Amino acid sequence: MENVLIIGATGQIGSELTMLLREHCGNDHVVAGYIHGAEPKGALAESGPSECVDITDADAIAAAVKKYKVDTIYNLAALLSAVAEARPQLAWKIGVGGLYNVLEVARENGCAVFTPSSIGSFGPGTPLDHTPQDTIQRPRTIYGVTKVTGELLSDYYAHRFGVDTRSVRFPGLISYVAPPGGGTTDYAVDIFYSAVRGETFRCPIAAGTFMDMMYMPDALRAAVEIMEADPSRLVHRNSFNVASMSFDPEIIAGKIKELIPGFTMEYAVDPLRQSIAESWPNSLDDSCARNEWDWKPRYDLDAMARDMIEKLRVKIGKEEAVNAL
Ligand code: SER
């Protein structure tokens, strides 16, 4: 991994992964690919090169790859699950058409490719608890359909053309930096904003609905470590289950209450998100990732919640200070 192009660099994962990879590979070696209307700002814009790279435009991807002699592409462009249900055609165009463009450019230019998959690649027929690495994947959401298609297409390019494609199935990602948008697991981020602001959180997911979640620093490390893993040890490629914690709204609310005693939550269940959440696993078995590339999470629920609250207090405090001017 010498010269990296990140497509979707200003999104939920990209805005943090770009900064991490710039530390890792050198600022000038990591290109932040963005779309019009989502230009990089602040440190992301100032710390290294950026290019307008719309994933639906294969020529733009190829031009950036050639200009920066890119050898690794992180393909982070996607519509998240709930928003994708409102725009399924666009979700397919980005998730599958976009991936096809990336894979073709990678095939022609000898690039490795990371494309995240998700707990959303599973569906109602999948075993819900300790979901195995290799199991039934019949999702009912367009998001899940694009993710399963992406896993298959990425494996096809690896086996047929020798493109070095690798991936992990991310759980819901929790971070204090860039907010997610339109996902089913977003409640686990929003709840912290409400708690730190002293507001009552209206939870769109019902009590008792368990999903895998992960703190962003672990997710970023997974995205880097899988691309640096010894390929001779990899039995799987697209895509590895990775896990660190699983909870339902009651458990996360209880943890937050422990740290912010005045915190309150009420339920306002969103039927779309609830039906999606019910079709996803309760908890993944990530033993293949642990065995094949030594994956190991560092944050459990307690460590994540403490860090989130501490960091969000600083972030929201700064915002309030600016607004008060
Ligand atoms: N966080 C995603 C979503 O909720 C799942 O990968 O859509």
Side-chain angles (χ1 to χ4, degrees), residues 2-30:
E2 207 171 307
N3 295 312
V4 181
L5 170 65
I6 303 190
I7 300 177
T10 59
Q12 186 201 10
I13 302 174
S15 51
E16 292 187 62
L17 186 63
T18 305
M19 299 306 285
L20 180 76
L21 285 174
R22 282 183 176 160
E23 270 172 39
H24 197 74
C25 308
N27 284 350
D28 296 340
H29 294 269
V30 180

PDB file of all heavy atoms in Angstrom, residues 2-30:
ATOM      1  N   GLU A   2       1.139   1.793  -1.215  1.00  0.00           N
ATOM      2  CA  GLU A   2       2.035   2.958  -1.275  1.00  0.00           C
ATOM      3  C   GLU A   2       1.254   4.228  -1.600  1.00  0.00           C
ATOM      4  O   GLU A   2       1.341   5.220  -0.902  1.00  0.00           O
ATOM      5  CB  GLU A   2       3.098   2.708  -2.329  1.00  0.00           C
ATOM      6  CG  GLU A   2       4.368   3.455  -2.046  1.00  0.00           C
ATOM      7  CD  GLU A   2       5.483   3.043  -2.974  1.00  0.00           C
ATOM      8  OE1 GLU A   2       5.772   1.819  -3.072  1.00  0.00           O
ATOM      9  OE2 GLU A   2       6.023   3.929  -3.634  1.00  0.00           O
ATOM     10  N   ASN A   3       0.477   4.153  -2.688  1.00  0.00           N
ATOM     11  CA  ASN A   3      -0.346   5.298  -3.087  1.00  0.00           C
ATOM     12  C   ASN A   3      -1.809   4.880  -3.079  1.00  0.00           C
ATOM     13  O   ASN A   3      -2.196   3.943  -3.779  1.00  0.00           O
ATOM     14  CB  ASN A   3       0.057   5.776  -4.480  1.00  0.00           C
ATOM     15  CG  ASN A   3       1.474   6.318  -4.477  1.00  0.00           C
ATOM     16  OD1 ASN A   3       1.838   7.115  -3.620  1.00  0.00           O
ATOM     17  ND2 ASN A   3       2.279   5.860  -5.413  1.00  0.00           N
ATOM     18  N   VAL A   4      -2.604   5.596  -2.297  1.00  0.00           N
ATOM     19  CA  VAL A   4      -3.976   5.151  -2.032  1.00  0.00           C
ATOM     20  C   VAL A   4      -4.977   6.184  -2.554  1.00  0.00           C
ATOM     21  O   VAL A   4      -4.780   7.386  -2.381  1.00  0.00           O
ATOM     22  CB  VAL A   4      -4.194   4.981  -0.503  1.00  0.00           C
ATOM     23  CG1 VAL A   4      -5.608   4.505  -0.201  1.00  0.00           C
ATOM     24  CG2 VAL A   4      -3.170   4.025   0.077  1.00  0.00           C
ATOM     25  N   LEU A   5      -6.039   5.697  -3.184  1.00  0.00           N
ATOM     26  CA  LEU A   5      -7.189   6.546  -3.539  1.00  0.00           C
ATOM     27  C   LEU A   5      -8.369   6.115  -2.670  1.00  0.00           C
ATOM     28  O   LEU A   5      -8.705   4.926  -2.637  1.00  0.00           O
ATOM     29  CB  LEU A   5      -7.544   6.378  -5.021  1.00  0.00           C
ATOM     30  CG  LEU A   5      -8.871   7.020  -5.455  1.00  0.00           C
ATOM     31  CD1 LEU A   5      -8.837   8.540  -5.318  1.00  0.00           C
ATOM     32  CD2 LEU A   5      -9.223   6.616  -6.897  1.00  0.00           C
ATOM     33  N   ILE A   6      -8.960   7.070  -1.982  1.00  0.00           N
ATOM     34  CA  ILE A   6     -10.157   6.769  -1.196  1.00  0.00           C
ATOM     35  C   ILE A   6     -11.352   7.376  -1.912  1.00  0.00           C
ATOM     36  O   ILE A   6     -11.426   8.603  -2.070  1.00  0.00           O
ATOM     37  CB  ILE A   6     -10.036   7.329   0.228  1.00  0.00           C
ATOM     38  CG1 ILE A   6      -8.777   6.742   0.869  1.00  0.00           C
ATOM     39  CG2 ILE A   6     -11.287   7.007   1.042  1.00  0.00           C
ATOM     40  CD1 ILE A   6      -8.625   6.989   2.326  1.00  0.00           C
ATOM     41  N   ILE A   7     -12.268   6.535  -2.342  1.00  0.00           N
ATOM     42  CA  ILE A   7     -13.493   7.036  -2.988  1.00  0.00           C
ATOM     43  C   ILE A   7     -14.559   7.138  -1.898  1.00  0.00           C
ATOM     44  O   ILE A   7     -14.831   6.157  -1.197  1.00  0.00           O
ATOM     45  CB  ILE A   7     -13.934   6.091  -4.120  1.00  0.00           C
ATOM     46  CG1 ILE A   7     -12.833   5.999  -5.183  1.00  0.00           C
ATOM     47  CG2 ILE A   7     -15.250   6.570  -4.737  1.00  0.00           C
ATOM     48  CD1 ILE A   7     -13.140   5.042  -6.320  1.00  0.00           C
ATOM     49  N   GLY A   8     -15.126   8.326  -1.752  1.00  0.00           N
ATOM     50  CA  GLY A   8     -16.054   8.554  -0.638  1.00  0.00           C
ATOM     51  C   GLY A   8     -15.300   9.053   0.587  1.00  0.00           C
ATOM     52  O   GLY A   8     -15.661   8.746   1.730  1.00  0.00           O
ATOM     53  N   ALA A   9     -14.249   9.839   0.353  1.00  0.00           N
ATOM     54  CA  ALA A   9     -13.350  10.245   1.446  1.00  0.00           C
ATOM     55  C   ALA A   9     -13.976  11.221   2.428  1.00  0.00           C
ATOM     56  O   ALA A   9     -13.429  11.433   3.506  1.00  0.00           O
ATOM     57  CB  ALA A   9     -12.070  10.854   0.874  1.00  0.00           C
ATOM     58  N   THR A  10     -15.101  11.840   2.062  1.00  0.00           N
ATOM     59  CA  THR A  10     -15.701  12.787   3.008  1.00  0.00           C
ATOM     60  C   THR A  10     -16.893  12.173   3.757  1.00  0.00           C
ATOM     61  O   THR A  10     -17.598  12.874   4.470  1.00  0.00           O
ATOM     62  CB  THR A  10     -16.134  14.089   2.290  1.00  0.00           C
ATOM     63  OG1 THR A  10     -17.072  13.763   1.264  1.00  0.00           O
ATOM     64  CG2 THR A  10     -14.949  14.799   1.677  1.00  0.00           C
ATOM     65  N   GLY A  11     -17.103  10.890   3.600  1.00  0.00           N
ATOM     66  CA  GLY A  11     -18.230  10.227   4.256  1.00  0.00           C
ATOM     67  C   GLY A  11     -17.906   9.787   5.683  1.00  0.00           C
ATOM     68  O   GLY A  11     -16.875  10.175   6.254  1.00  0.00           O
ATOM     69  N   GLN A  12     -18.787   8.967   6.237  1.00  0.00           N
ATOM     70  CA  GLN A  12     -18.673   8.559   7.640  1.00  0.00           C
ATOM     71  C   GLN A  12     -17.343   7.838   7.922  1.00  0.00           C
ATOM     72  O   GLN A  12     -16.660   8.149   8.885  1.00  0.00           O
ATOM     73  CB  GLN A  12     -19.849   7.642   8.029  1.00  0.00           C
ATOM     74  CG  GLN A  12     -19.891   7.289   9.507  1.00  0.00           C
ATOM     75  CD  GLN A  12     -20.693   6.035   9.806  1.00  0.00           C
ATOM     76  OE1 GLN A  12     -21.091   5.300   8.898  1.00  0.00           O
ATOM     77  NE2 GLN A  12     -20.933   5.783  11.069  1.00  0.00           N
ATOM     78  N   ILE A  13     -17.005   6.880   7.084  1.00  0.00           N
ATOM     79  CA  ILE A  13     -15.750   6.145   7.297  1.00  0.00           C
ATOM     80  C   ILE A  13     -14.588   6.910   6.665  1.00  0.00           C
ATOM     81  O   ILE A  13     -13.519   7.063   7.251  1.00  0.00           O
ATOM     82  CB  ILE A  13     -15.820   4.728   6.665  1.00  0.00           C
ATOM     83  CG1 ILE A  13     -16.993   3.930   7.238  1.00  0.00           C
ATOM     84  CG2 ILE A  13     -14.507   3.992   6.867  1.00  0.00           C
ATOM     85  CD1 ILE A  13     -17.218   2.581   6.551  1.00  0.00           C
ATOM     86  N   GLY A  14     -14.812   7.421   5.456  1.00  0.00           N
ATOM     87  CA  GLY A  14     -13.734   8.018   4.670  1.00  0.00           C
ATOM     88  C   GLY A  14     -13.056   9.183   5.356  1.00  0.00           C
ATOM     89  O   GLY A  14     -11.828   9.324   5.289  1.00  0.00           O
ATOM     90  N   SER A  15     -13.828  10.017   6.028  1.00  0.00           N
ATOM     91  CA  SER A  15     -13.214  11.221   6.605  1.00  0.00           C
ATOM     92  C   SER A  15     -12.209  10.844   7.695  1.00  0.00           C
ATOM     93  O   SER A  15     -11.230  11.555   7.895  1.00  0.00           O
ATOM     94  CB  SER A  15     -14.281  12.167   7.139  1.00  0.00           C
ATOM     95  OG  SER A  15     -15.164  11.484   7.968  1.00  0.00           O
ATOM     96  N   GLU A  16     -12.410   9.736   8.359  1.00  0.00           N
ATOM     97  CA  GLU A  16     -11.432   9.314   9.376  1.00  0.00           C
ATOM     98  C   GLU A  16     -10.352   8.416   8.785  1.00  0.00           C
ATOM     99  O   GLU A  16      -9.184   8.509   9.142  1.00  0.00           O
ATOM    100  CB  GLU A  16     -12.152   8.603  10.522  1.00  0.00           C
ATOM    101  CG  GLU A  16     -13.022   9.564  11.306  1.00  0.00           C
ATOM    102  CD  GLU A  16     -13.611   8.931  12.538  1.00  0.00           C
ATOM    103  OE1 GLU A  16     -12.868   8.513  13.434  1.00  0.00           O
ATOM    104  OE2 GLU A  16     -14.853   8.852  12.614  1.00  0.00           O
ATOM    105  N   LEU A  17     -10.760   7.532   7.855  1.00  0.00           N
ATOM    106  CA  LEU A  17      -9.774   6.616   7.267  1.00  0.00           C
ATOM    107  C   LEU A  17      -8.718   7.385   6.469  1.00  0.00           C
ATOM    108  O   LEU A  17      -7.540   7.036   6.480  1.00  0.00           O
ATOM    109  CB  LEU A  17     -10.478   5.582   6.374  1.00  0.00           C
ATOM    110  CG  LEU A  17      -9.579   4.494   5.810  1.00  0.00           C
ATOM    111  CD1 LEU A  17      -8.971   3.642   6.925  1.00  0.00           C
ATOM    112  CD2 LEU A  17     -10.341   3.594   4.837  1.00  0.00           C
ATOM    113  N   THR A  18      -9.143   8.449   5.781  1.00  0.00           N
ATOM    114  CA  THR A  18      -8.185   9.241   5.003  1.00  0.00           C
ATOM    115  C   THR A  18      -7.098   9.796   5.920  1.00  0.00           C
ATOM    116  O   THR A  18      -5.898   9.701   5.606  1.00  0.00           O
ATOM    117  CB  THR A  18      -8.920  10.405   4.285  1.00  0.00           C
ATOM    118  OG1 THR A  18      -9.978   9.855   3.511  1.00  0.00           O
ATOM    119  CG2 THR A  18      -7.980  11.188   3.398  1.00  0.00           C
ATOM    120  N   MET A  19      -7.497  10.338   7.061  1.00  0.00           N
ATOM    121  CA  MET A  19      -6.512  10.914   7.984  1.00  0.00           C
ATOM    122  C   MET A  19      -5.590   9.822   8.549  1.00  0.00           C
ATOM    123  O   MET A  19      -4.383  10.019   8.656  1.00  0.00           O
ATOM    124  CB  MET A  19      -7.212  11.656   9.126  1.00  0.00           C
ATOM    125  CG  MET A  19      -8.078  12.828   8.672  1.00  0.00           C
ATOM    126  SD  MET A  19      -7.224  14.041   7.655  1.00  0.00           S
ATOM    127  CE  MET A  19      -6.257  14.887   8.887  1.00  0.00           C
ATOM    128  N   LEU A  20      -6.168   8.679   8.876  1.00  0.00           N
ATOM    129  CA  LEU A  20      -5.351   7.583   9.420  1.00  0.00           C
ATOM    130  C   LEU A  20      -4.344   7.091   8.381  1.00  0.00           C
ATOM    131  O   LEU A  20      -3.160   6.879   8.680  1.00  0.00           O
ATOM    132  CB  LEU A  20      -6.260   6.432   9.862  1.00  0.00           C
ATOM    133  CG  LEU A  20      -5.528   5.232  10.459  1.00  0.00           C
ATOM    134  CD1 LEU A  20      -5.059   5.535  11.877  1.00  0.00           C
ATOM    135  CD2 LEU A  20      -6.417   3.997  10.485  1.00  0.00           C
ATOM    136  N   LEU A  21      -4.807   6.916   7.150  1.00  0.00           N
ATOM    137  CA  LEU A  21      -3.897   6.421   6.109  1.00  0.00           C
ATOM    138  C   LEU A  21      -2.831   7.455   5.750  1.00  0.00           C
ATOM    139  O   LEU A  21      -1.726   7.100   5.357  1.00  0.00           O
ATOM    140  CB  LEU A  21      -4.689   6.001   4.861  1.00  0.00           C
ATOM    141  CG  LEU A  21      -5.429   4.668   5.006  1.00  0.00           C
ATOM    142  CD1 LEU A  21      -6.303   4.402   3.789  1.00  0.00           C
ATOM    143  CD2 LEU A  21      -4.453   3.506   5.197  1.00  0.00           C
ATOM    144  N   ARG A  22      -3.169   8.743   5.906  1.00  0.00           N
ATOM    145  CA  ARG A  22      -2.144   9.769   5.657  1.00  0.00           C
ATOM    146  C   ARG A  22      -1.032   9.678   6.697  1.00  0.00           C
ATOM    147  O   ARG A  22       0.139   9.882   6.395  1.00  0.00           O
ATOM    148  CB  ARG A  22      -2.784  11.169   5.616  1.00  0.00           C
ATOM    149  CG  ARG A  22      -3.465  11.393   4.282  1.00  0.00           C
ATOM    150  CD  ARG A  22      -4.068  12.779   4.146  1.00  0.00           C
ATOM    151  NE  ARG A  22      -4.600  12.915   2.789  1.00  0.00           N
ATOM    152  CZ  ARG A  22      -5.511  13.801   2.425  1.00  0.00           C
ATOM    153  NH1 ARG A  22      -5.992  14.650   3.302  1.00  0.00           N
ATOM    154  NH2 ARG A  22      -5.932  13.849   1.174  1.00  0.00           N
ATOM    155  N   GLU A  23      -1.411   9.356   7.932  1.00  0.00           N
ATOM    156  CA  GLU A  23      -0.379   9.134   8.965  1.00  0.00           C
ATOM    157  C   GLU A  23       0.454   7.911   8.621  1.00  0.00           C
ATOM    158  O   GLU A  23       1.652   7.877   8.801  1.00  0.00           O
ATOM    159  CB  GLU A  23      -1.053   8.850  10.320  1.00  0.00           C
ATOM    160  CG  GLU A  23      -1.318  10.081  11.161  1.00  0.00           C
ATOM    161  CD  GLU A  23      -2.148   9.713  12.386  1.00  0.00           C
ATOM    162  OE1 GLU A  23      -1.923   8.646  12.991  1.00  0.00           O
ATOM    163  OE2 GLU A  23      -3.055  10.499  12.708  1.00  0.00           O
ATOM    164  N   HIS A  24      -0.220   6.918   8.113  1.00  0.00           N
ATOM    165  CA  HIS A  24       0.376   5.607   7.864  1.00  0.00           C
ATOM    166  C   HIS A  24       1.280   5.608   6.622  1.00  0.00           C
ATOM    167  O   HIS A  24       2.376   5.063   6.648  1.00  0.00           O
ATOM    168  CB  HIS A  24      -0.800   4.652   7.646  1.00  0.00           C
ATOM    169  CG  HIS A  24      -0.469   3.215   7.763  1.00  0.00           C
ATOM    170  ND1 HIS A  24      -0.231   2.609   8.966  1.00  0.00           N
ATOM    171  CD2 HIS A  24      -0.353   2.244   6.817  1.00  0.00           C
ATOM    172  CE1 HIS A  24       0.008   1.339   8.764  1.00  0.00           C
ATOM    173  NE2 HIS A  24      -0.047   1.090   7.470  1.00  0.00           N
ATOM    174  N   CYS A  25       0.802   6.227   5.530  1.00  0.00           N
ATOM    175  CA  CYS A  25       1.505   6.142   4.239  1.00  0.00           C
ATOM    176  C   CYS A  25       2.214   7.450   3.868  1.00  0.00           C
ATOM    177  O   CYS A  25       2.970   7.477   2.896  1.00  0.00           O
ATOM    178  CB  CYS A  25       0.538   5.827   3.097  1.00  0.00           C
ATOM    179  SG  CYS A  25      -0.505   4.409   3.348  1.00  0.00           S
ATOM    180  N   GLY A  26       1.934   8.538   4.592  1.00  0.00           N
ATOM    181  CA  GLY A  26       2.463   9.857   4.206  1.00  0.00           C
ATOM    182  C   GLY A  26       1.357  10.663   3.551  1.00  0.00           C
ATOM    183  O   GLY A  26       0.613  10.134   2.715  1.00  0.00           O
ATOM    184  N   ASN A  27       1.265  11.938   3.919  1.00  0.00           N
ATOM    185  CA  ASN A  27       0.153  12.779   3.467  1.00  0.00           C
ATOM    186  C   ASN A  27      -0.030  12.793   1.956  1.00  0.00           C
ATOM    187  O   ASN A  27      -1.155  12.705   1.452  1.00  0.00           O
ATOM    188  CB  ASN A  27       0.351  14.223   3.939  1.00  0.00           C
ATOM    189  CG  ASN A  27       0.028  14.377   5.415  1.00  0.00           C
ATOM    190  OD1 ASN A  27      -0.507  13.466   6.029  1.00  0.00           O
ATOM    191  ND2 ASN A  27       0.362  15.514   5.968  1.00  0.00           N
ATOM    192  N   ASP A  28       1.086  12.916   1.220  1.00  0.00           N
ATOM    193  CA  ASP A  28       0.977  13.067  -0.241  1.00  0.00           C
ATOM    194  C   ASP A  28       0.583  11.766  -0.933  1.00  0.00           C
ATOM    195  O   ASP A  28       0.329  11.762  -2.132  1.00  0.00           O
ATOM    196  CB  ASP A  28       2.325  13.541  -0.821  1.00  0.00           C
ATOM    197  CG  ASP A  28       2.675  14.913  -0.293  1.00  0.00           C
ATOM    198  OD1 ASP A  28       1.747  15.609   0.173  1.00  0.00           O
ATOM    199  OD2 ASP A  28       3.868  15.276  -0.323  1.00  0.00           O
ATOM    200  N   HIS A  29       0.578  10.670  -0.198  1.00  0.00           N
ATOM    201  CA  HIS A  29       0.318   9.364  -0.816  1.00  0.00           C
ATOM    202  C   HIS A  29      -1.132   8.916  -0.696  1.00  0.00           C
ATOM    203  O   HIS A  29      -1.463   7.801  -1.089  1.00  0.00           O
ATOM    204  CB  HIS A  29       1.240   8.308  -0.190  1.00  0.00           C
ATOM    205  CG  HIS A  29       2.686   8.548  -0.488  1.00  0.00           C
ATOM    206  ND1 HIS A  29       3.314   8.011  -1.587  1.00  0.00           N
ATOM    207  CD2 HIS A  29       3.609   9.313   0.140  1.00  0.00           C
ATOM    208  CE1 HIS A  29       4.577   8.414  -1.602  1.00  0.00           C
ATOM    209  NE2 HIS A  29       4.785   9.209  -0.578  1.00  0.00           N
ATOM    210  N   VAL A  30      -1.973   9.758  -0.122  1.00  0.00           N
ATOM    211  CA  VAL A  30      -3.378   9.359   0.062  1.00  0.00           C
ATOM    212  C   VAL A  30      -4.292  10.432  -0.525  1.00  0.00           C
ATOM    213  O   VAL A  30      -4.341  11.562  -0.032  1.00  0.00           O
ATOM    214  CB  VAL A  30      -3.703   9.127   1.558  1.00  0.00           C
ATOM    215  CG1 VAL A  30      -5.162   8.718   1.731  1.00  0.00           C
ATOM    216  CG2 VAL A  30      -2.774   8.063   2.137  1.00  0.00           C
TER     217      VAL A  30
END
